[in-house]
Amino acid sequence: MKPLFWFAGVLVIASLFTAWPYVQRERARVAAENLPQYGKVPRFELTAQTGRPFSDADMRGHLYVADFFFTRCPTVCPLLTEKMLRVQRQAREQGLDVRFASFSVDPRYDTPERLTTYARDHRIDTSNWTLLTGPMDQVETTVLEGFRVMMGRDADAGEDDFFSVFHGEHFVLVDARGQLRGYYRVTEGEGGLEALLRDAALLALAPE
């Protein structure tokens, strides 16, 4: 009888190992469903740092993190870029399939060439991270109405007065269906980055 008991035990253990990935996915699905949904990112057509057109369709089917910056920003933007680099690195270490998009809020100055220089100077891996610019009206529509993040410039400021440019500092998590799933303040402490990576992992693991 002992061989039978042994064989039955092996079957039980094997079934547990087989079922465990399903259990993990189901838990992730339930947890992901509990994340907020703030609406869908509308269509946009902008230009990548390569000079090629880039639209919301390029992100369709992909989980991604968005942030908002400008290349001549002397204050918070370098910190935001540093934080995004950390998210990119940690997501890769965790095996998460996540893409990244940085939207310039100073698009009249931030040409594709300047975005390319910024990416090089900050050692950005552009294999899954795109820097975006475009006509001001399209950028404003995308950032303000699409991502629901503030941006602008003091009304009486000249184009050379980059200190007058302002924008939101949150990272935004967008799921593979284009739904806004979270806003994360990452400039104060580690909590924002940790929450972002946790929620990204849930969405990456959860079946669509």
Side-chain angles (χ1 to χ4, degrees), residues 166-182:
F166 59 87
H167 58 92
E169 299 174 4
H170 290 80
F171 286 2
V172 184
L173 181 61
V174 185
D175 69 19
R177 297 173 296 167
Q179 289 285 337
L180 300 164
R181 303 306 298 271

Side-chain angles (χ1 to χ4, degrees), residues 13 17 39 47 62 67 82-83 87 93 97 133 141 158 169 175-176 196:
I13 293 172
F17 275 108
T47 303
H62 298 284
D67 79 332
E82 177 189 335
K83 296 287 186 177
V87 176
E93 290 172 353
D97 184 11
T133 187
T141 298
E169 299 174 4
D175 69 19
L196 170 58

Side-chain angles (χ1 to χ4, degrees), residues 77-184:
C77 295
L79 176 60
L80 292 175
T81 298
E82 177 189 335
K83 296 287 186 177
M84 189 76 100
L85 283 165
R86 287 181 56 187
V87 176
Q88 184 187 45
R89 181 176 65 254
Q90 291 178 23
R92 183 169 292 145
E93 290 172 353
Q94 295 177 29
L96 302 178
D97 184 11
V98 182
R99 296 191 179 188
F100 303 87
S102 293
F103 293 78
S104 171
V105 298
D106 187 19
R108 293 194 183 100
Y109 180 84
D110 283 339
T111 61
E113 293 78 13
R114 287 191 170 112
L115 293 180
T116 297
T117 299
Y118 184 89
R120 184 189 65 236
D121 291 346
H122 290 268
R123 300 182 179 181
I124 293 174
D125 177 2
T126 56
S127 62
N128 64 343
W129 183 345
T130 305
L131 287 71
L132 294 164
T133 187
M136 176 61 85
D137 60 337
Q138 293 184 34
V139 170
E140 287 181 333
T141 298
T142 301
V143 175
L144 293 170
E145 300 178 16
F147 287 93
R148 305 179 187 182
V149 170
M150 69 172 183
M151 65 164 285
R153 180 192 294 271
D154 294 343
D156 57 349
E159 283 298 316
D160 293 333
D161 183 7
F162 55 82
F163 281 99
S164 69
V165 178
F166 59 87
H167 58 92
E169 299 174 4
H170 290 80
F171 286 2
V172 184
L173 181 61
V174 185
D175 69 19
R177 297 173 296 167
Q179 289 285 337
L180 300 164
R181 303 306 298 271
Y183 291 80
Y184 307 86

